[in-house]
């Protein structure tokens, strides 16, 4: 495909995407296919000669779309939201064209530098303590990771390295393995310290946990994967109080801040804790500005693992990272902070609207405090009847929900997810749930 | 931004991308900026009210492009190639629109299923042993990872878990830490068993290493991050001989197979070795087909770490994965296997062309066998004179190279990278290098 064909096909694809988004409400949110549906629909090996673009675009509707769960349908209330916005899509097109692999400053200076500044912008939106920002020339800073698990793993490995160094300094006779056997990681019953758990969006109290960690010299990592986006609104910022005690903090703008996947924001108070745990310097990554003092660590964090540092030399090229900060830049600028806040508030308001509908029906109960965009609810009664209700909901495929367990109770999660969900969708979803609940209760009596 | 504005802006962005690609040869391959250049050019916090799209698109040329290292310029010969093709960009647009997070079959069946089939297509292009394919209903299969390091880490952790289980079964009194202290990972002086090293693209002999690993019950992971793409050509396939002894194998189509970053292909002979090491089953990820027997493990591999499995419940939502197999599907179909082979062959031919130019000049020497697209060369003489030559090359910024060390010698790496590089670019690059070499040698004599 040459450039002039790309101009044509690219514009056709823009229209395809726009049509998909415009018409998504009309598509069944959850697909009808059975496992293994796709393989018989396509050849069993790649073609020797090229197919045409027309063939491929036709196959999207024939082969792909029938097997897609439409996460951006306004009738999708499952899991948690995954971000989708036009500004982020435009930025991703640019990111793909530049196609740099920003594993060091020299590999593409704009990639490292924009990321550092965007992480400061975002940190300020959240009113993070200055210690986490780069601009103040302190020891902290932010970095984009691929996912909250990557961020948490990085934090854990950094914490472990730091603890091992401290203990080895105190007792040089101890081997690394002997120390590792004694290390303990504390967590709550949902997970690290978490603001907004996956199951029910509950919150740990950092003001209680934080001072203890600091006093005992324990690394405190705070994960607010979903909830973190809400902290850009002053009325929700109090949920982040105590972050000043944390060593590291992360949340996912790719969930609820309109920055398409992947973009997990992570801040640390002391960059050297990370760079100390994940350093490497092969010749082909050195560049003339490296030791200039003008350059802050580029946070080229990739995953290595303590017991295997005999392989350290190997963890090298994969430093690959896309120019993800472009998405933040486009989204923050095209929405503005006020636009982003309005988006969060709309979702929270819709979840409260759903909550009040549930509360008006005496057959149902709310199972956890509704703080942000998630409502945990169930029919008063057995787990079995609730499992039957969920089964009916997901078989009908008009809306899509997933369950969770809260203290042995089977609970339905209603998460406000889509960028385009409105009150009318929530109302329709509730009417539908009520009808199916009546069917379930009737069937139970029979 | 509403959908109709996206239609307009999206098409403008397609043109911007096309213009960028068409004009990339005219841009200086390596930027002039100094560290810290970007921060003063933009506000120190996000705007409260939205900026316009015009503002942003203007800022791309003003703020971003001056700091970009143009990896897709035909004068970029640094590191290794990173893939860029129009079909992959079109697929990425679609991937962004669908925006599903494919962490389980139910989360978007097409995402899991297309990935499985595409990994089979690719495995067949490489003539991988059938044990690595999914279609034969065996125990093996392929999965897309984000990077070769992720693939290698996953392989190492799976190998470790397997070794620990085996040793604990034999000696139940041993603790996990005591076992871990005794575990050994062997590697060559470049890195695991590697086909096509980063420094000089050398190859380990799997036919020697493999049988030993199998006999000693050692996990053999083979990494061919860069070189793997070449194995789709019959004349290079012999470099992969011995892969039949491996437990796991990976390479990066996002380097040299025209599938934009990220797309690291990994195959294992026994899926259960991975799923055993990385399993989790929270309620909200369960779905009705899960235990149907029709569904093969979806390879929801995310990174957890042995010593911390107290936190196992936490490694959950981040299972996030984009619909990356769309890029493979578009690229394989729009190029066809023959088109992809032609692309690889052109790059290899260009590297041999450069090699023969170097060999014709008695001042220079070739430092490693040229097998694929990388030429390691240097001026006969001291490291200092070669460092001076590289310094001149990268200061002139007409072309971009990075160095490596081979047995204490400072060596220049000339990697054929860009999709659009032609013989004329290679010839011009060599003329330029020769001129600068003359300057360096003259300066040395003075």
């Amino acid at each position: 495909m040459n450039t002039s064909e790309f101009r044509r096909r690219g514009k056709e694809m823009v229209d395809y995407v726009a049509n998909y988004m415009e018409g998504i409400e009309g598509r069944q949110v959850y697909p009808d296919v059975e496992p293994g549906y796709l393989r018989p629909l396509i050849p069993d090996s790649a073609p020797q000669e090229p197919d045409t673009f027309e063939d491929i675009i036709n196959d999207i509707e024939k082969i792909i779309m029938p097997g897609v769960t439409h996460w951006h349908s306004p009738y999708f209330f499952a899991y948690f939201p995954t971000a989708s916005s036009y500004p982020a899509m435009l930025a991703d097109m640019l990111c793909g064209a530049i196609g740099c692999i920003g594993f060091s400053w020299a590999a593409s200076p704009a990639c490292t530098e924009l990321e550092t500044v965007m992480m400061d912008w975002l940190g300020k939106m959240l009113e993070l303590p200055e210690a986490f920002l780069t601009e103040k020339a302190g020891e902290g800073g932010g970095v984009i990771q691929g996912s909250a698990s990557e961020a948490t793993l990085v934090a854990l490995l950094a914490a472990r390295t730091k603890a091992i160094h401290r203990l080895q300094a105190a007792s040089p006779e101890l081997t690394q393995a002997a120390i590792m056997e004694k290390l303990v990681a504390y967590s709550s019953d949902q997970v690290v310290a978490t603001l907004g758990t996956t199951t029910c969006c509950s919150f740990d109290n950092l003001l209680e946990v934080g001072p203890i960690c600091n006093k005992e010299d324990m690394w405190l990592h705070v994960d607010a994967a979903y909830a973190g986006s809400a902290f850009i609104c002053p009325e929700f910022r109090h949920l982040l109080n105590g972050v000043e005690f944390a060593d590291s903090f992360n949340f996912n703008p790719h969930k609820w801040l309109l920055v398409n996947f992947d973009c997990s924001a992570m801040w640390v108070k002391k960059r050297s804790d990370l760079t100390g745990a994940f350093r490497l310097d092969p010749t082909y990554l050195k560049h003339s500005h490296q030791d200039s003092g003008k350059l802050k660590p580029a946070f080229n964090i990739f995953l290595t693992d303590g017991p295997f540092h005999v392989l350290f030399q190997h963890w090298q090229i994969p430093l690959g990272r896309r120019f993800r900060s472009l998405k933040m830049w486009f989204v923050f600028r095209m929405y503005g902070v006020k636009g982003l806040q309005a988006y969060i508030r709309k979702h929270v308001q819709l979840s409260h609207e759903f909550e009040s509908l549930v509360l008006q029906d005496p057959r149902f109960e709310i199972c956890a405090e509704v703080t942000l965009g998630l409502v945990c609810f169930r029919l008063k009664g057995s787990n079995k009847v609730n499992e039957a209700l969920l089964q009916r909901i997901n078989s009908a495929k008009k809306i899509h929900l997933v369950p969770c367990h809260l203290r042995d109770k089977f609970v339905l999660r209603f998460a406000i997810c889509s960028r385009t969900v409105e009150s009318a969708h929530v109302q329709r979803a509730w009417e539908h749930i009520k009808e199916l609940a009546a069917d379930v209760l009737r069937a139970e009596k029979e």
Side-chain angles (χ1 to χ4, degrees), chain A residues 232 332 335-345:
Chain A
I232 66 166
F332 297 165
Y335 278 89
V337 175
K338 287 186 184 171
L340 295 170
Q341 289 170 335
Y343 173 69
I344 296 286
R345 286 173 181 141

Side-chain angles (χ1 to χ4, degrees), chain A residues 35-344:
Chain A
Y37 87 95
L38 185 139
R39 192 179 285 272
L41 300 179
I42 65 179
D44 65 2
S45 57
Q48 290 294 310
E49 305 287 346
D51 289 346
T52 67
F53 185 73
E54 281 83 0
D55 290 338
I56 294 169
I57 204 96
N58 290 335
D59 281 349
I60 293 170
E61 282 299 333
K62 260 192 352 222
I63 297 169
I64 303 300
M65 285 299 170
V68 168
T69 304
H70 299 288
W71 282 62
H72 304 292
S73 159
Y75 295 115
F76 182 92
F77 303 104
Y79 314 107
F80 268 140
T82 185
S84 172
S85 72
Y86 291 131
M89 289 185 214
L90 294 170
D92 243 357
M93 289 162 69
L94 181 62
C95 169
I98 294 177
C100 64
I101 303 296
F103 47 66
S104 70
W105 182 86
S108 215
C111 182
T112 297
E113 299 213 5
L114 187 65
E115 180 165 333
T116 307
V117 179
M118 284 305 104
M119 291 300 293
D120 278 358
W121 277 22
L122 185 54
K124 288 179 197 176
M125 282 191 232
L126 298 176
E127 295 185 19
L128 282 187
E130 282 191 359
F132 288 104
L133 306 184
T134 307
E135 67 169 8
K136 298 298 174 186
E139 296 180 81
V143 61
I144 303 175
Q145 302 279 6
S147 67
S149 66
E150 211 174 305
T152 305
L153 177 58
V154 164
L156 284 169
L157 294 177
R160 186 172 79 177
T161 303
K162 199 177 180 180
I164 288 171
H165 289 171
R166 193 176 68 228
L167 292 168
Q168 279 186 325
S171 314
E173 75 284 3
L174 288 176
T175 65
Q176 188 172 321
I179 292 173
M180 279 175 55
E181 199 172 21
K182 294 196 175 67
L183 291 179
V184 175
Y186 294 92
S187 72
S188 81
D189 77 333
Q190 302 288 335
V191 275
V192 294
T194 307
L195 302 178
T197 57
T198 304
T199 42
C200 61
C201 201
S202 61
F203 291 81
D204 285 331
N205 188 336
L206 297 184
L207 293 171
E208 284 178 12
V209 175
I212 297 169
C213 290
N214 283 191
K215 191 175 153 218
E216 303 293 336
D217 214 355
M218 287 161 62
W219 185 290
L220 177 60
H221 177 70
V222 176
D223 178 359
Y226 162 67
S229 299
F231 306 156
I232 66 166
C233 300
E235 67 271 31
F236 299 121
R237 173 58 177 78
H238 68 94
L239 295 165
L240 187 59
N241 286 351
V243 73
E244 56 273 20
F245 298 110
D247 296 283
S248 51
F249 167 67
N250 79 277
F251 85 98
N252 290 350
H254 70 228
K255 281 204 170 59
W256 202 17
L257 208 59
L258 296 163
V259 182
N260 285 34
F261 190 85
D262 57 331
C263 179
S264 180
M266 179 187 193
W267 289 266
V268 290
K269 256 193 203 147
K270 236 179 135 176
R271 291 191 299 265
S272 57
D273 288 337
L274 293 192
T275 49
F278 302 101
R279 196 193 179 86
L280 94 173
D281 292 305
T283 313
Y284 54 84
L285 292 183
K286 286 199 198 302
H287 57 85
S288 58
H289 284 298
Q290 185 152 284
D291 304 313
S292 71
K294 278 190 277 184
L295 196 60
K296 298 190 180 180
F299 282 80
N300 299 316
I301 294 160
F302 48 98
L303 305 173
T304 183
D305 190 12
F308 292 104
H309 42 218
V310 61
L311 295 175
F312 214 68
Q313 279 301 316
H314 179 61
W315 307 98
Q316 38 190 222
I317 275 289
L319 328 165
R321 5 181 39 227
R322 300 169 79 228
F323 201 157
R324 293 178 287 200
S325 56
L326 285 174
K327 289 186 291 197
M328 298 169 81
W329 197 48
F330 275 49
V331 169
F332 297 165
R333 292 184 69 181
M334 283 197 235
Y335 278 89
V337 175
K338 287 186 184 171
L340 295 170
Q341 289 170 335
Y343 173 69
I344 296 286

